[in-house]
Amino acid sequence: MTEKISSYRFGVGKYFHEKEVLSHLREELRGFSDKALVISGKKAMEALEEQDFRKCLKDAGVSFREELYVGYPNTEKVEYFSKLAREEGYGVLIGAGGGKIMDLSKAVANQAGLPLLLIPTTAATCAAFTPLSVLYTKEGKYDKAIHFDREVDVVLVDEDIMLRQGTRYLAAGMVDAMAKYIEISHGERSLKRGTVPLQKYLAYQMAEELFTVLEEEGAEACRELREAGENNRQALSKEEMKLGSALQDCVFCNIALTGIVSGMMQGRGQAALGHVLYNLLRTSFTEETRGFLHGEIVGVGLRLQVLYNQNEDLEERVTKFMKERGMPITLQELGIPNQPEAKDSILSALLRNSLVEDSEEGRERLKRGFHRIWKY
């Protein structure tokens, strides 16, 4: 899979966000193929079936094969599904699930040369929108990120399916989205027009507004989602189940707007120390961090990033947001053992990273931030 990042890919071919969004399947698949390979998680398929997913495909005259997958997207599975798609002559790939399924589906479609339709079932990441995949080993260690030359063809965000996710997923997606504002300004308290390339400055401005929307509407969005879950358990009708305005805003921010910011940065430079820490922990402390979501780990790294940027006020806002959502805010709360060797190995790895300024002052900033995130 050749990595190409010279062009801008600002978003998907088509992005739908509404109730009963699967009604668009017939029209969207008509331009691709009448033979689809479907890759999804078990819970994702259950959610899709509540929206008559299989019936929608059959009504559209599409024959399909379902492949349920539980695990990390890895090179071996990309090869397996790509070969399956080519040998059995599938003309389109449909991926449905969380971020791992989104990343797996994008990598498979890219390798097999297939058009791609994605149906995210959570708003925990922008994976459905961005033309890149993060791959892991079978054990869950971080392996690599692959950038693709083309965008995702279609994304279908179904409001009823979004109501099935837990608030933990929504909150993790918010923090991962908020990270763009802080990581784009890596090493600086803020960016000013004329001091950086215009596209970076505009991505930063959009990311700042994204941060503000999530900070202001996040609590209400989580309340609406909890209320919807309680109502669902009381078996309310579909007409009584709907996304509230704050929840709609935050889902859109987590998936689409975050993906657009990433596109403006060409998939590079919108991730810095927060994501460096994520990759490091997934690689060196795989078992300890297995139960945590992407955004939860990135969030702890985000505190490190904003402290490295010497923006104490913003660090307080980020920490407050995370604590109010019940998220971990330190490495100890992520399950990292309180042992000198663990502490030294993480700090040493961070100091060796090329993003850390090669100066005594830069290293000291990193160390001060690290000691703040080690334990509460």
Side-chain angles (χ1 to χ4, degrees), residues 4-10 131 147-151 262-268:
K4 298 180 181 179
I5 60 168
S6 59
S7 62
Y8 287 94
R9 295 171 299 287
F10 291 113
H147 296 254
F148 305 126
D149 191 41
R150 59 191 295 266
E151 299 170 333
S262 177
M264 291 181 70
M265 294 295 295
Q266 294 184 306
R268 301 291 181 121

Side-chain angles (χ1 to χ4, degrees), residues 87-369:
E87 290 183 347
E88 298 196 3
Y90 293 102
V92 63
L93 178 65
I94 300 174
K100 294 185 180 69
I101 291 292
M102 300 293 98
D103 279 349
L104 176 63
S105 299
K106 286 183 290 186
V108 171
N110 182 73
Q111 183 148 315
L114 294 179
L116 177 63
L117 186 150
L118 293 177
I119 309 171
T121 54
T122 74
T125 69
C126 62
F129 205 91
T130 51
L132 66 89
S133 287
V134 177
L135 300 185
Y136 301 80
T137 66
K138 289 186 289 186
E139 296 75 28
K141 296 180 183 294
Y142 172 80
D143 181 14
K144 58 186 174 182
I146 306 172
H147 296 254
F148 305 126
D149 191 41
R150 59 191 295 266
E151 299 170 333
V152 175
D153 295 283
V154 182
V155 174
L156 301 179
V157 179
D158 187 276
E159 292 191 357
D160 292 316
I161 290 176
M162 284 292 118
L163 288 170
R164 291 176 58 104
Q165 68 183 311
T167 55
R168 182 185 174 194
Y169 291 92
L170 180 67
M174 290 179 193
V175 172
D176 189 42
M178 294 166 87
K180 304 299 179 282
Y181 170 50
I182 297 168
E183 289 186 289
I184 287 174
S185 61
H186 172 68
E188 304 289 342
R189 283 181 58 87
S190 62
L191 299 182
K192 298 186 183 302
R193 186 160 64 89
T195 63
V196 295
L198 181 61
Q199 61 269 33
K200 180 174 183 177
Y201 175 74
L202 293 176
Y204 171 77
Q205 287 289 299
M206 184 179 291
E208 181 178 19
E209 190 64 28
L210 166 62
F211 183 102
T212 301
V213 170
L214 293 172
E215 184 179 35
E216 293 179 352
E217 299 190 23
E220 176 63 15
C222 288
R223 187 198 66 77
E224 290 172 358
L225 186 57
R226 282 193 300 271
E227 185 178 278
E230 293 167 359
N231 290 341
N232 190 41
R233 285 189 287 275
Q234 296 170 18
L236 292 181
S237 68
K238 283 186 178 181
E239 288 69 28
E240 294 170 295
M241 292 287 290
K242 59 183 178 180
L243 285 174
S245 59
L247 185 51
Q248 284 178 321
D249 289 348
C250 291
V251 168
F252 178 76
C253 284
N254 286 11
I255 298 175
L257 191 53
T258 304
I260 293 172
V261 171
S262 177
M264 291 181 70
M265 294 295 295
Q266 294 184 306
R268 301 291 181 121
Q270 84 285 357
L273 291 178
H275 284 77
V276 165
L277 183 68
Y278 171 84
N279 295 339
L280 172 60
L281 297 184
R282 283 295 196 209
T283 302
S284 301
F285 295 89
T286 308
E287 290 305 315
E288 291 86 347
T289 59
R290 189 178 298 279
F292 293 94
L293 300 174
H294 175 85
E296 292 172 334
I297 300 175
V298 167
V300 175
L302 192 58
R303 293 188 62 223
L304 172 65
Q305 176 72 72
V306 76
L307 289 166
Y308 182 80
N309 293 355
Q310 301 186 87
N311 195 330
E312 292 279 346
D313 293 340
L314 190 55
E315 192 272 335
E316 289 181 9
R317 290 164 62 188
V318 170
T319 303
K320 179 176 182 288
F321 185 91
M322 293 169 62
K323 288 176 71 174
E324 289 176 349
R325 309 284 88 72
M327 301 175 72
I329 61 170
T330 66
L331 289 167
Q332 301 289 283
E333 292 177 355
L334 286 176
I336 306 303
N338 188 15
Q339 299 169 353
E341 53 268 31
K343 183 177 184 180
D344 292 343
S345 69
I346 298 172
L347 179 56
S348 297
L350 289 169
L351 287 168
R352 290 194 302 270
N353 192 274
S354 61
L355 286 171
V356 177
E357 182 182 307
D358 186 17
S359 68
E360 188 61 32
E361 194 273 337
R363 288 186 285 271
E364 283 303 313
R365 274 194 285 153
L366 189 285
K367 290 177 183 177
R368 286 195 298 270

Side-chain angles (χ1 to χ4, degrees), residues 45-53 164 232 238:
M45 185 53 67
E46 292 173 357
L48 290 179
E49 266 306 281
E50 287 197 3
Q51 309 303 318
D52 297 321
F53 173 69
R164 291 176 58 104
N232 190 41
K238 283 186 178 181

